[in-house]
Every structure is written in structure tokens, then in C-alpha cells.
Amino acid sequence: MISFEQALDIVMSTSFRTGTETISYTDALNRVLAGNISSDMDLPPFKKSTVDGFACRKTDLGNDLEILETVPAGNWPSKTIGCNQCSRIMTGAPVPDGADCVIMVEDTEMLPSGLVRFRSSFKKENIAYKGEDVRKGELVLRAGKMIRPQDIAVMASVGHIEITVSKMPRVAVISSGSELVEPNIIPGISQIRNSNASQLMAQIKRAGGSGKYYGIAADDEAQTLSIVEKAISENDMVLVTGGVSMGDFDFIPSVLEQAGVKILFTRIAVQPGKPTTFGLHSRSVIFGLPGNPVSSFIQFEVLVRPLLLKMMDCEWRPLIINMPMNEKFIRRFADRMAFIPVKITDDASVSPVEYHGSAHISALPEADGVISMPVGRQIFEKGEIVSVRQI
Ligand code: AMP
Ligand code: MG
């Protein structure tokens, strides 16, 4: 049995990459940027007002000012501001030549004479200068980034409407187990509903992959082999759940070998997820995940997801937050690294959720993250700082 760190090293040394394609920036959400993006212009592109008010000279603020014109956003000023003059100006409009500040309309008073008077003390210029946010040619988005809505706004503002991204890994999901029925069926007395497949499909989607479900394989070697071979030939990654333990019908490692997979490990010293299996085929990478839904969920997050993102050359790190335990946590055995589902309380401390083991599927919706307890440790003390990894 290898350590979790060794397993992660083996998985992450896989050299497979998905290649790139060009798409519209509007389709970019959750895709991984494959090339740097630079700005085609200064931002802001001109000196602009950040408020609705009057553009004038600071030296004239004690005087009543003559209004020359109104400059709406989208128009260019036609008048230069001179001594004791101003122009009415809207947020986002270009500041006229001669003006060095914009006073807010809320700080002014219109006089019956038609002049305007400043009724406050000077606080700030309320001007955004050309290029103060971004210079023409400056790098605005770096390759390797998983694209979020705020990145799409930057692409839009620099006119980068076609982007090169990594292709999404094609990931097959196979559920194995003769006791499984699909969720629309009422299970018979010895059956359970298949919850892993839909959970994994959602995890793949969230991680930026493209999932394809291949159905339930009964605990039958020949049937499982034919589904696995088809999945390997059509995908970059194959995830099989169930059938990796020590039971009489746990055929997956043998099926994988028959399918030409070179198995790199079949046991990790982790809890949950000990029987997690990993192998390489010339066409794709294969994980055999344990059948219990909590195990397959957590092993996907800690082992599969990092590789899926690496296949896209994504510079991703899980979000990890350090926080104090709000109660003592004890476990009996310390021979494996444990991932413990926890929730973050309202007072920003960490509380393990009620968790009866790797089949306890309703424990995970309560959890905000997992904390990991290393091999050899049995206790987290109340108040001890632990690292919560978001799930
Ligand atoms: P196995 O890894 O095949 O020994 O399965 C371990 C446990 O997980 C057994 O109780 C199975 O019934 C259960 N299990 C296996 N596959 C699934 C699945 N797709 N959805 C829900 N539970 C499963
Ligand atoms: Mg089974």
C-alpha cells in the first residue's frame, strides 16, 4: 500500500494533454485559457469622469462657476474649461481640456443667476486617467487560468473575442455492481440506486471536463470488459466505480489488465478510498474508484480532479483555508491518512459533520470541505488550526 502523497505523485506524472481549440469568449466559462491575452488599448481609453457633476479647475472651487455645456457619456466635449468656468458632465464621459477635477452634483447648488456653487470641501478629483488600469499591450490574462465570469469581462473590454483554450478531457463513467439500479427505478429488496454515476458526472462538469455515462455493468467479467474497452477507445479518462475491493466479484483490476491497462497502484493508505486503483492505457488513463459514494466523491476531488485539470495545463490549486477546530476530534486508528468532512460554522471555526462512514451519503451535503489527518495522528485538539479544503 502506498501513501496518498505517493499516489498523487504517480497520478500527476501522467504526461497526457488534451490539445487546444479556438472558441468564442462567450463560451469560455470554466474552460482553461491556453494562450496569454494582452490589451489592444489603454483602459480607460480616455480621461473620464467617475461621477455625475461639474468639470472645473481646483483653483476656482471657491467661486461661482459659469456652465459652458453638458457632456453626456458617449459624447466628446467641445469647450475648454477656463477661469471660473465648468461643464456639466456625466459618469463615464470624457473630461474637457482645462478641467483638473469633477465636483459631484450632490456637493453643488444652482444659483438663480444660472451659475453653480461648490458647497463642500475638496475631497478628490473624481477623474480616471487614460491607461491608469491597463496599458495597451499589457498582459491581462495568463495562460493556464480557469476562466471565470470576471475574466470574460476582461476579454470583452480588450476585444479578445476568439480565445484559444485546452480541449475538455472526455471522461467516461462506468458504474459496476449487480445490486445497482438507475435512480428512476424503485430498488428490489437486494438492490440500491446508482448514486455514483450522476455524482461523478457533476464532479467532472464542475472540474471542467466533459463526462459521458456508459451505464451499469453487472458483476460479470465479460460484460464489464466490453464496456471498459469501448470506454477506453472513446475517452481520455475512464472512471469505473465499484468492484475494486477484495470481494469474490470485484473484477475491475483483472478486467483492466485484460483491456491492456498497465496498473500503477491498487491500494492507497487513505480513508475513505483505500482500494482506489489507477492505471494507464496507450489511449487513456483509468481510475477504479471504490463503490461507496463518499469514497468515490472524495477520491475524485483529491486525486482525479487535479489530473483532469493538469491534462488541460490548468494552474489550479484547491481553495484551502486555515481555521480553528471548534471541538476535539479523535479517531481510533492512525494507519491511514483520513479525509474528514467538516462544516464551517458561523463563527468561522471547523466542526466535523456527523459521518458514519463511506456509505453515509447524506453526510456530504452538510460539509463545506474536508480536513486531512496525517498517518500517525489520532487527535485534533479543540482550537487547533486545521486546513479546510473546499469540496
Ligand atoms: P464495492 O466497491 O463494489 O465493493 O462497493 C462498495 C459499496 O458501495 C457497496 O455497498 C455497493 O453497493 C456500493 N456501491 C457500489 N457502486 C455504487 C453506486 N454506483 N452507487 C451507490 N452505491 C454504490
Ligand atoms: Mg461491488
Side-chain angles (χ1 to χ4, degrees):
M1 195 149 61
I2 59 173
S3 71
F4 175 73
E5 291 77 9
Q6 286 170 316
L8 187 61
D9 276 352
I10 292 171
V11 165
M12 293 302 272
S13 52
T14 308
S15 57
F16 189 90
R17 297 293 180 275
T18 53
T20 62
E21 62 184 337
T22 301
I23 61 166
S24 163
Y25 78 112
T26 53
D27 295 325
L29 186 66
N30 283 346
R31 301 299 300 269
V32 178
L33 196 58
N36 292 334
I37 295 182
S38 304
S39 182
D40 67 340
M41 56 160 60
D42 286 341
L43 295 177
F46 49 86
K47 180 178 166 186
K48 70 177 185 184
S49 176
T50 61
V51 295
D52 297 315
F54 297 89
C56 61
R57 310 185 327 166
K58 281 176 225 162
T59 51
D60 298 338
L61 285 179
N63 309 331
D64 297 340
L65 306 177
E66 174 199 357
I67 303 173
L68 299 180
E69 63 172 338
T70 297
V71 190
N75 283 47
W76 198 257
S78 63
K79 304 259 170 43
T80 299
I81 307 296
C83 179
N84 292 336
Q85 293 180 325
C86 69
S87 285
R88 196 188 290 274
I89 188 168
M90 305 303 136
T91 305
V95 175
D97 287 344
D100 59 7
C101 72
V102 180
I103 51 175
M104 290 172 75
V105 68
E106 294 89 326
D107 294 336
T108 62
E109 178 190 352
M110 288 302 301
L111 302 175
S113 59
L115 300 181
V116 63
R117 181 176 293 170
F118 185 45
R119 279 252 165 250
S120 182
S121 58
F122 179 79
K123 290 179 214 86
K124 53 185 176 129
E125 289 180 352
N126 297 317
I127 293 174
Y129 288 91
K130 177 173 156 68
E132 79 174 22
D133 298 339
V134 175
R135 287 278 175 203
K136 181 175 178 173
E138 190 179 322
L139 184 73
V140 285
L141 296 170
R142 199 175 289 281
K145 201 170 205 302
M146 181 162 272
I147 297 162
R148 299 178 296 167
Q150 54 268 52
D151 303 313
I152 296 176
V154 172
M155 294 169 192
S157 64
V158 303
H160 208 100
I161 57 171
E162 291 217 309
I163 58 166
T164 307
V165 294
S166 299
K167 286 185 184 158
M168 297 160 92
R170 295 164 303 164
V171 186
V173 172
I174 303 168
S175 303
S176 91
S178 294
E179 74 280 30
L180 301 174
V181 295
E182 295 299 2
N184 60 322
I185 308 263
I186 296 175
I189 45 171
S190 60
Q191 297 178 320
I192 59 163
R193 289 196 175 104
N194 177 8
S195 56
N196 284 341
S198 44
Q199 176 171 252
L200 282 172
M201 290 291 287
Q203 287 181 286
I204 293 162
K205 188 173 183 185
R206 179 167 74 173
S210 170
K212 182 172 174 192
Y213 177 47
Y214 283 76
I216 297 169
D219 290 322
D220 171 276
E221 239 176 307
Q223 191 202 350
T224 308
L225 179 60
S226 84
I227 298 178
V228 165
E229 280 178 330
K230 181 167 160 58
I232 287 175
S233 71
E234 294 174 351
N235 294 275
D236 305 312
M237 181 187 278
V238 176
L239 307 178
V240 189
T241 65
V244 286
S245 307
M246 300 302 283
D248 291 351
F249 303 96
D250 288 335
F251 297 131
I252 296 302
S254 135
V255 163
L256 294 182
E257 277 179 336
Q258 290 171 59
V261 175
K262 182 174 172 235
I263 296 196
L264 300 185
F265 59 78
T266 58
R267 291 283 176 278
I268 314 175
V270 285
Q271 184 187 28
K274 181 165 91 171
T276 299
T277 296
F278 177 66
L280 297 178
H281 187 276
S282 55
R283 310 185 57 136
S284 63
V285 300
I286 294 92
F287 287 89
L289 299 173
N292 272 313
V294 177
S295 310
S296 75
F297 176 88
I298 289 181
Q299 290 309 313
F300 180 94
E301 290 301 314
V302 299
L303 209 57
V304 181
R305 190 177 189 179
L307 176 58
L308 201 130
L309 289 156
K310 187 160 187 198
M311 286 174 148
M312 296 185 279
D313 278 323
C314 181
E315 285 166 13
W316 174 84
R317 281 174 290 112
L319 180 62
I320 293 176
I321 305 169
N322 294 330
M323 285 185 179
M325 292 290 288
N326 84 350
E327 60 192 86
K328 185 172 181 172
F329 179 87
I330 307 177
R331 62 168 173 163
R332 263 200 314 150
F333 302 107
D335 55 333
R336 290 187 268 162
M337 175 177 178
F339 290 104
I340 303 150
V342 295
K343 67 171 170 254
I344 296 172
T345 61
D346 290 342
D347 65 350
S349 65
V350 177
S351 176
V353 300
E354 186 180 338
Y355 172 54
H356 309 150
S358 56
H360 187 179
I361 193 162
S362 60
L364 284 182
E366 295 298 313
D368 299 306
V370 290
I371 54 176
S372 58
M373 187 177 260
V375 173
R377 276 207 66 174
Q378 281 177 286
I379 298 176
F380 282 135
E381 296 293 348
K382 180 175 179 174
E384 182 172 349
I385 303 294
V386 291
S387 299
V388 181
R389 175 175 180 155
Q390 192 188 31
I391 57 171

